Amino acid sequence: MRVVVLENAEAVAQFAADFIVRQVNGKPNSVLGLATGSTPLGTYRKLIEAYQAGRVSFKSVTTFNLDEYYGLEPTHEQSYRRFMCESLFNHIDIDLAKTHVPLGSTLDVERETASYEQAIRGVGGIDLQLLGIGTDGHIAFNEPGSSLASRTRLKTLTRRTRQDNARFFGTIDGVPKMAITMGIGTIMESRELLLLACGEGKAEAIARSFEGPISSICPASVLQWHRQAIVVLDKGAARGLSQLEYYADCEANLKEVAKV
Ligand code: PGA
């Protein structure tokens, strides 16, 4: 696992955007896994800038989002489909037919979740999955206790997650109680993982996930088991880590080797 600690949220967004641009320029028909929430917004702004500057094209890219609130129509103000259109898709040259977000308003959850998994398999799997982390350690909407082998399915949100997201819905009661989410097993099959976290509010979840035991009670800890996982943090989110000096040495040495 590579842990990259940067000065601030702006630097985290720049790192992630540069990483994604390199991925897409190296493989124009990349399959990207995308995330929602406040954390990736800066990254998406920088991807839009890169596209506008002619540094990248998303014409042949396919995307799969991690999750969607159960019961929300794609056009709902707070749906993740709408979030993705407004924050990224509407501003770049991506083919909307190649973008996938689980259908939260589905009447047949079994079918929706099975076909989501099938669609991922059908394009040969995800090359690079972007992730955030919840204050309870969740990735996507895999809440504490989620099977580390889980697949795309309907999941109940914790009260803590609903409280964290109440800012978008006005009150906690407005936040849907369930979501369709990629499973942890699904996420772990991505060839590369890029988890971003900013702010002291995430420090405890980060320390438990990356310097604690692997456990379903802290779903993000499963990244320790992935061969190509990069965790990118600002100073606030990194605050609870005990091995900061070592992570900095690793980054410095990587840069040295790259120069040779
Ligand atoms: P946030 O959410 O980016 O809005 O903090 C992250 C998450 O819940 O995964």
Side-chain angles (χ1 to χ4, degrees):
M1 225 175 32
R2 186 174 158 201
V3 179
V4 183
V5 181
L6 301 170
E7 195 57 37
N8 51 35
E10 163 91 13
V12 169
Q14 192 65 58
F15 183 103
D18 289 346
F19 199 90
I20 293 168
V21 166
R22 265 199 309 279
Q23 166 69 38
V24 173
N25 285 338
K27 183 183 175 192
N29 64 344
S30 286
V31 181
L32 301 179
L34 299 177
T36 50
S38 308
T39 309
L41 275 175
T43 303
Y44 294 156
R45 276 194 289 270
K46 291 196 184 290
L47 287 178
I48 294 167
E49 281 167 25
Y51 162 70
Q52 287 170 344
R55 287 198 287 119
V56 65
S57 166
F58 295 90
K59 224 170 42 224
S60 307
V61 165
T62 298
T63 66
F64 287 89
N65 264 80
L66 288 168
D67 44 23
E68 178 63 282
Y69 288 113
Y70 181 56
L72 296 197
E73 294 288 342
T75 50
H76 188 283
E77 257 200 326
Q78 294 303 334
S79 80
Y80 284 164
R81 162 55 76 180
R82 182 145 163 195
F83 175 101
M84 288 311 301
C85 286
E86 289 176 356
S87 314
L88 183 64
F89 298 156
N90 290 351
H91 311 284
I92 57 176
D93 62 345
I94 200 160
D95 175 359
L96 276 183
K98 292 202 181 89
T99 67
H100 303 82
V101 181
L103 184 63
S105 57
T106 183
L107 297 176
D108 189 341
V109 172
E110 282 294 308
R111 201 165 135 176
E112 175 61 20
T113 53
S115 75
Y116 208 69
E117 291 273 337
Q118 177 58 43
I120 294 172
R121 272 195 304 276
V123 294
I126 294 171
D127 291 307
L128 172 64
Q129 175 69 59
L130 191 61
L131 294 166
I133 183 171
T135 58
D136 61 2
H138 71 212
I139 46 172
F141 274 133
N142 294 288
E143 299 287 27
S146 290
S147 161
L148 301 183
S150 52
R151 311 302 307 187
T152 304
R153 69 213 184 288
L154 188 62
K155 193 73 195 156
T156 290
L157 306 181
T158 60
R159 290 182 189 207
R160 182 166 179 182
T161 294
R162 292 178 67 227
Q163 186 57 58
D164 285 347
N165 291 357
R167 66 191 192 278
F168 301 112
F169 290 85
T171 62
I172 185 169
D173 294 328
V175 184
K177 294 191 168 78
M178 303 178 92
I180 294 178
T181 180
M182 261 190 218
I184 296 178
T186 320
I187 292 169
M188 289 292 283
E189 283 170 11
S190 297
R191 285 182 272 283
E192 211 161 4
L193 301 178
L194 187 62
L195 183 143
L196 313 180
C198 296
E200 285 187 22
K202 298 289 171 72
E204 191 213 331
I206 290 293
R208 283 203 298 131
S209 299
F210 305 119
E211 290 187 350
I214 297 179
S215 164
S216 65
I217 207 67
C218 187
S221 64
V222 75
L223 264 68
Q224 295 178 40
W225 201 251
H226 197 285
R227 278 189 265 187
Q228 297 288 345
I230 308 181
V231 179
V232 190
L233 310 169
D234 72 355
K235 287 199 161 151
R239 214 181 151 151
L241 295 173
S242 65
Q243 306 296 312
L244 287 173
E245 203 175 357
Y246 178 65
Y247 305 141
D249 286 348
C250 290
E251 289 308 300
N253 288 342
L254 274 183
K255 280 199 189 114
E256 277 303 308
V257 171
K259 272 192 220 146
V260 181

